[in-house]
Amino acid sequence: MFDLNDITRIILIIVLILLLVLYFWLRFALSIEGGLYKRRLKLANDFFEDSVNKESEGNYVEAVVSLDKAIKLNNQQPEYFYFRAIAKSKLHGFKDAIKDLTSALLLKPDRVEFYEYRMRLYKEIGDYKNAYKDAKYVTVFSPENISAHIEKANIASLLKDNELVLADLNQALRLAAKLENAKMVRAISLKIKKYEESV
């Protein structure tokens, strides 16, 4: 009836058919998944845009709800966390906003505005030590920013660290002098003199 060669051929044909079925099934499954992924990203972006509109209208609660949905669909977008932090802070949810900014920084650790906003929130809740750490990051990422050095000095004064205050103010003074901004040089010099007199 069937010899060994026939059985081998039949098994080989069955294996080839199964491989072809598997190949086409995988192509189909991946194309659907790819399409679903793109739709998820689009929907997440739609929720994000909706939140921006709601936030501009002053409707921060609904903005947070929309951003929650966007993040649930795509948690790899640092801007979603950043804007949710802004909306939460408008609702006085400072600690939750700080968590969102930390999530945003994990995704994009070189974004100065994330550090600046988190620094302000730390300052708002009285966590001056972490505010100063973020102020240091701001000055590392934008070393020529005079205002950042002055803000760092202001936070150092809240920590009651006179050496840091004077160091930061002197750095701001050097930058202002380098830019030949006489008005800024005078203002910072007065601030330094006033601070030295009060210590």
Side-chain angles (χ1 to χ4, degrees), residues 32-198:
I32 288 175
E33 183 59 36
L36 288 175
Y37 180 71
K38 287 177 185 173
R39 279 187 291 226
R40 283 175 63 103
L41 294 182
K42 166 105 176 67
L43 187 58
N45 195 54
D46 291 345
F47 281 123
F48 173 70
E49 288 176 10
D50 181 56
S51 75
V52 171
N53 292 333
K54 288 176 178 168
E55 200 167 320
S56 69
E57 296 166 359
N59 194 340
Y60 303 113
V61 173
E62 287 188 32
V64 169
V65 170
S66 291
L67 285 161
D68 287 343
K69 292 175 184 176
I71 290 168
K72 189 172 184 178
L73 292 167
N74 180 7
N75 64 359
Q76 297 302 305
Q77 208 42 281
E79 287 77 16
Y80 296 176
F81 290 99
Y82 176 65
F83 279 91
R84 187 169 72 174
I86 292 171
K88 285 180 177 179
S89 70
K90 302 285 183 179
L91 297 167
H92 300 283
F94 301 123
K95 288 185 180 181
D96 284 339
I98 288 169
K99 287 177 188 173
D100 278 344
L101 288 164
T102 302
S103 296
L105 284 163
L106 288 172
L107 294 169
K108 198 78 169 154
D110 60 346
R111 294 287 292 274
V112 176
E113 64 271 24
F114 297 173
Y115 287 106
E116 285 176 324
Y117 203 77
R118 191 172 70 172
M119 173 191 69
R120 282 188 247 140
L121 294 177
Y122 276 133
K123 199 172 159 188
E124 183 73 32
I125 65 171
D127 186 348
Y128 305 126
K129 188 175 179 181
N130 279 318
Y132 190 80
K133 283 181 188 177
D134 280 352
K136 283 187 351 188
Y137 281 115
V138 172
T139 57
V140 165
F141 287 118
S142 51
E144 303 295 313
N145 185 335
I146 297 170
S147 299
H149 288 282
I150 292 172
E151 182 60 24
K152 194 169 139 199
N154 290 337
I155 296 169
S157 72
L158 294 169
L159 289 169
K160 303 197 185 319
D161 190 325
N162 300 333
E163 285 182 34
L164 288 177
V165 172
L166 291 173
D168 292 326
L169 287 175
N170 281 314
Q171 179 61 26
L173 182 63
R174 282 191 291 278
L175 289 170
K178 184 178 166 184
L179 295 173
E180 298 178 6
N181 186 333
K183 185 177 177 182
M184 183 83 71
V185 168
R186 275 192 306 278
I188 296 169
S189 296
L190 286 172
K191 193 170 182 132
I192 291 171
K193 185 177 179 182
K194 184 178 175 183
Y195 191 78
E196 287 175 332
E197 289 171 359
S198 70

Side-chain angles (χ1 to χ4, degrees), residues 16-26:
L16 285 174
I17 290 171
L18 288 173
L19 285 173
L20 280 171
V21 168
L22 179 64
Y23 169 77
F24 285 110
W25 181 82
L26 282 172

